[in-house]
Amino acid sequence: MSKLQTFVLKMACTLVVRAECTTSRARACDLLLSRLSEPLRSPVFMPVGTHGALKGVTAAQLRSLRCQICLGNTYHLGLRPGPELIKMAGGLHSFMGWDGALLTDSGGFQMVSLSKLASVTEEGVTFSSPYDGSVSFLTPERSIEIQQALGSDIMMQLDDVVSSTTTGPRVEEAMWRSVRWLDRCVAAHCEPSHQTLFAIIQGGLDEKLRLSCLQEMCCRPVGGYAIGGLSGGEDKESFWRMVVLCTSVLPRDKPRYLMGVGYPTDLIVCTALGCDMFDCVYPTRTARFGTALVPWGTLQLKHGKYAHDTLPIDPDCSCLTCTRYSRSFLHLLYKSDSTAGQYVTLHNIHYQLSLMADARASILGGRFPTFVRSFLGRMYGQPQASPKWVADALSYVNINLEA
């Protein structure tokens, strides 16, 4: 890649650090993407629309929640309806009627989620379709080709993904293959002025492997970095230590995306550890099963105790659902109408987005540690009652829950 190509690639995704917490590693940033007139403001949570849409939520509703960015999945969209049709429709933004930012996953995660249908070699991944059994072959080059046809603002490299609980030589094999596949993705990336490419840091729970991956990938011409291979069942102590290891090495002038993280406590702790971007199906999937997110935990709206509860999900919430509907109405609706899941999905996304906006405001206002203690106090009764891993992680970045 020429020096000019490298320069243009960097300019397709420019990070401006607006404020940094003087106590922890938390930061408020503006991510400038070439297609958008407004910056993407972080820390930011990104709802997941695997097939180009959030289940039960329209693009207009998502925009009304002031959502800045959502996700699409390269593997699934590559199978149905296919990149050719989406490109003919003007790209995924036009196809799904979304004018915000889009990030597309590379298809790598399906090596874990569809592991029984996948076979990995150095060249790429062979999948048997979960829809009709047909065989497809996904390579780094093909992943980039599909993502370029989708026209996403941020593309992810194809990485060799293993479960976070995997041990042994397979973890190192996957890490080094991810480095080699990144080089192939960079070489295949022919739209650097319009789309930015993120690398994905792998290495499992092995500190030496993570450091090796960081050293290699931080030398590549990419627009940002994702921390991958976590939030898959590993213990929380190992989880936060791998996160803080990565943020201690990743460059200050590039966005840091922690993949697959969406529990509210995890979002706040990992913001304190220095992460900027997050995604997870948690708020949308849990809504479909009757769970509403609230500052003090969750409400299981299918439970009988809500049958005669006329309060909104959260009396302090300003979302459409909370301003119009009661817990009893939603409880009844879950028995007969899938619309209940839509109403609670809107609330849960609003909750996550508002939480990140409040975290950003506290960083800009120089009061992030106070915000963290207030959040944990409401979530667990008092900050000191937080799980041990939370206290340990925050202590590492100088936030004392006893203050």
Side-chain angles (χ1 to χ4, degrees):
M1 179 172 286
S2 69
K3 291 182 179 179
L4 177 58
Q5 285 176 307
T6 302
F7 173 77
V8 172
L9 179 60
K10 290 180 178 178
M11 292 304 293
C13 175
T14 303
L15 188 79
V16 179
V17 180
R18 295 298 184 191
E20 295 176 284
C21 175
T22 57
T23 302
S24 69
R25 295 183 182 177
R27 59 192 202 160
C29 304
D30 287 354
L31 183 58
L32 310 175
L33 299 170
S34 61
R35 193 189 63 84
L36 300 178
S37 58
E38 295 184 356
L40 180 64
R41 297 175 178 87
S42 72
V44 61
F45 178 78
M46 304 179 287
V48 178
T50 300
H51 300 279
L54 274 69
K55 291 184 179 179
V57 178
T58 67
Q61 287 174 321
L62 194 58
R63 203 57 167 145
S64 73
L65 296 172
R66 298 183 181 179
C67 180
Q68 303 176 76
I69 180 171
C70 61
L71 272 68
N73 184 276
T74 295
Y75 171 76
H76 290 288
L77 290 169
L79 290 180
R80 299 191 315 187
E84 295 79 14
L85 176 61
I86 293 177
K87 185 175 183 179
M88 187 169 61
L92 187 56
H93 292 87
S94 177
F95 189 70
M96 63 184 285
W98 174 247
D99 62 355
L102 274 173
L103 183 150
T104 44
D105 193 2
S106 63
F109 178 69
Q110 277 62 51
M111 296 179 205
V112 174
S113 64
L114 300 177
S115 58
K116 293 181 180 180
L117 303 175
S119 175
V120 185
T121 66
E122 182 64 26
E123 184 59 25
V125 194
T126 300
F127 287 102
S128 296
S129 170
Y131 307 118
D132 60 12
S134 61
V135 175
S136 61
F137 188 51
L138 186 67
T139 65
E141 293 80 6
R142 178 58 177 164
S143 176
I144 294 299
E145 181 184 5
I146 295 172
Q147 292 184 80
Q148 289 181 154
L150 298 179
S152 54
D153 301 288
I154 299 173
M155 305 187 299
M156 304 306 299
Q157 73 152 112
L158 184 65
D159 53 338
D160 186 358
V161 185
V162 295
S163 168
S164 60
T165 58
T166 300
T167 58
R170 178 70 180 100
V171 180
E172 182 171 8
E173 175 190 49
M175 185 276 285
W176 286 112
R177 181 171 289 146
S178 295
V179 174
R180 294 191 294 273
W181 281 4
L182 174 59
D183 287 336
R184 290 168 61 183
C185 288
V186 170
H189 182 21
C190 60
E191 293 288 343
S193 62
H194 302 295
Q195 295 174 283
T196 192
L197 175 66
F198 277 25
I200 303 177
I201 307 299
Q202 292 290 352
L205 305 181
D206 188 306
E207 181 177 331
K208 291 183 179 179
L209 292 181
R210 285 273 171 184
L211 284 171
S212 294
C213 193
L214 284 158
Q215 290 165 1
E216 290 289 335
M217 289 186 169
C218 286
C219 297
R220 267 62 176 182
V222 295
Y225 299 90
I227 302 170
L230 297 176
S231 196
E234 74 279 3
D235 65 275
K236 286 293 193 177
E237 181 77 11
S238 298
F239 164 75
W240 78 258
R241 289 192 179 279
M242 288 300 104
V243 172
V244 82
L245 171 68
C246 291
T247 59
S248 67
V249 176
L250 290 171
R252 179 179 178 273
D253 64 344
K254 297 289 180 69
R256 305 162 183 167
Y257 164 28
L258 180 56
M259 306 181 79
V261 169
Y263 293 131
T265 296
D266 294 14
L267 293 175
I268 297 305
V269 172
C270 293
T271 294
L273 299 183
C275 297
D276 306 310
M277 303 167 66
F278 308 89
D279 82 286
C280 192
V281 298
Y282 172 68
T284 50
R285 179 174 291 170
T286 199
R288 296 194 295 275
F289 289 97
T291 302
L293 306 182
V294 289
W296 57 95
T298 59
L299 300 183
Q300 308 300 325
L301 292 169
K302 290 185 178 182
H303 287 186
K305 68 178 182 179
Y306 295 112
H308 303 286
D309 191 337
T310 58
L311 288 173
I313 293 172
D314 178 2
D316 296 324
C317 179
S318 61
C319 78
L320 172 69
T321 302
C322 287
T323 55
R324 295 189 181 182
Y325 304 107
S326 67
R327 298 170 184 175
S328 57
F329 171 78
L330 295 168
H331 171 82
L332 177 64
L333 210 59
Y334 269 113
K335 294 180 178 295
S336 60
D337 195 327
S338 62
T339 308
Q342 178 182 353
Y343 288 139
V344 180
T345 295
L346 288 170
H347 166 79
N348 284 357
I349 296 173
H350 179 273
Y351 172 80
Q352 299 282 75
L353 298 181
S354 297
L355 181 63
M356 291 288 91
D358 289 345
R360 176 184 169 91
S362 74
I363 298 168
L364 291 169
R367 48 183 175 80
F368 180 71
T370 301
F371 168 81
V372 172
R373 286 188 284 267
S374 176
F375 165 80
L376 294 173
R378 192 158 189 202
M379 182 65 71
Y380 299 103
Q382 55 182 348
Q384 300 91 325
S386 302
K388 183 178 182 300
W389 78 269
V390 171
D392 290 345
L394 293 173
S395 176
Y396 188 88
V397 289
N398 307 308
I399 295 180
N400 181 7
L401 298 186
E402 300 290 336

